[in-house]
Amino acid sequence: MRFYLQKIVFYVVALWAAVTLNFLIPRLMPGNPVDIMIAKMGAAGQPITAGTRHALEVELGGSGGSLIQQYGAYIVNLLHGNLGISLTNFPEKVTTVIGQALPWTIALVGMATIISFILGIGLGMLAGWKRGSWLDNLIPVTTMFQAVPYFWLALILVLVLTRVLSLFPYAGGYNVATTVPGLSFQFIGSALYYGFLPAVTIVISSVGGWMLGMRNMMVATLSEDYIVTAEAKGLKPSRVRMTYAARNAVLPSLSGFAISLGFVVAGSIVTEQVFSYPGIGQLLFTAVSNDDYALMQGVFLVISLSVLAANLVVDVLYGLIDPRTRARS
């Protein structure tokens, strides 16, 4: 129980630190969202009065009072689920804008992460079991793809599969001309069709890391005494491979996978930008380009919460799987 209490206290403090930094960093940056909005309204020829500025300060959470007072108001609004108004999508709330983009990123990056993990772990297990085989020799190729920049690989796939072969669309999340968003087979099919190419980019870029890590752990695990004992007992090779070797070799990869899931909500900024995919990565790029501090704050907060939650889950699971972890605390 002491182990879990320590972890909870640690992550509560980490959450407070993340929220505080999320509050401070945009306010230490040059510029003011109210001034930016007034400049845009002035450029459009709209009249600007003192009342207009005050109304925008209220809507956008302008700098009213001392920094401590702003921090207190920020915490109160945060507890009420109010992350402010998006400057880019004015007058939409930040929570609404993030809520519209988040499902796209979770579907694309989440599924791509799961597929690359399962594929990499399976291939890495076989490569470690059959060292020197063609699959083992394939690892340098997959590692090379991991070293290739996302945008370069994405552009190559766009050129070959959308321009030369015309197999897939090159931009968007679904066919906006013929499809209405909703829980229909037509929309789901269109979303899968448009998301296939970005997902392939992520899988190709990330599968090499899982494969290499699992292969190395399999090689190390196969030299353990309990593996030699299992083979000496005459157990079937498939049972030795799955029950004894792979089961223990996969543990380090599981912790990395849980953390990777925490970063799923961050999206893949470069991939989403290349394919104009309507996810969190594209949203964050738009917020930075337009100095939308409230939206940046909201996106960073969602990413911080997901990463902290994933790390907490990993720590708790390790405490359950390995009692020695609890004994050291």
Side-chain angles (χ1 to χ4, degrees), residues 10 32 37 42-44 51 90 93 113 115 124 184 201 209 231 233 316 329:
F10 171 79
N32 187 308
M37 192 67 189
F90 189 84
K93 293 183 178 180
T113 301
I115 292 172
S184 64
T201 305
E231 292 175 340
K233 288 182 176 180
V316 170
S329 63

Side-chain angles (χ1 to χ4, degrees), residues 223-234:
S223 63
E224 297 290 342
D225 293 337
Y226 61 86
I227 299 295
V228 177
T229 303
E231 292 175 340
K233 288 182 176 180

Side-chain angles (χ1 to χ4, degrees), residues 49-113:
T49 63
T52 302
R53 182 178 184 87
H54 177 71
L56 287 174
E57 287 181 347
V58 173
E59 287 292 328
L60 298 175
S63 56
S66 66
L67 193 64
I68 300 298
Q69 291 174 329
Q70 293 180 46
Y71 182 67
Y74 173 75
I75 295 297
V76 171
N77 289 332
L78 194 61
L79 293 175
H80 286 85
N82 181 13
L83 299 180
I85 304 296
S86 171
L87 180 66
T88 307
N89 303 275
F90 189 84
E92 288 284 344
K93 293 183 178 180
V94 170
T95 51
T96 302
V97 177
I98 293 177
Q100 292 172 348
L102 193 58
W104 291 97
T105 290
I106 292 177
L108 171 65
V109 185
M111 290 304 299
T113 301

Side-chain angles (χ1 to χ4, degrees), residues 3 6 28 38-39 42 46 68 99 105 113 122 156 195 262 265 286 295 301 306-307:
F3 169 80
Q6 288 177 343
L28 297 177
I38 287 178
Q46 300 181 15
I68 300 298
T105 290
T113 301
I156 292 297
V265 298
T286 303
L295 186 55
L301 181 63
S306 62
V307 172

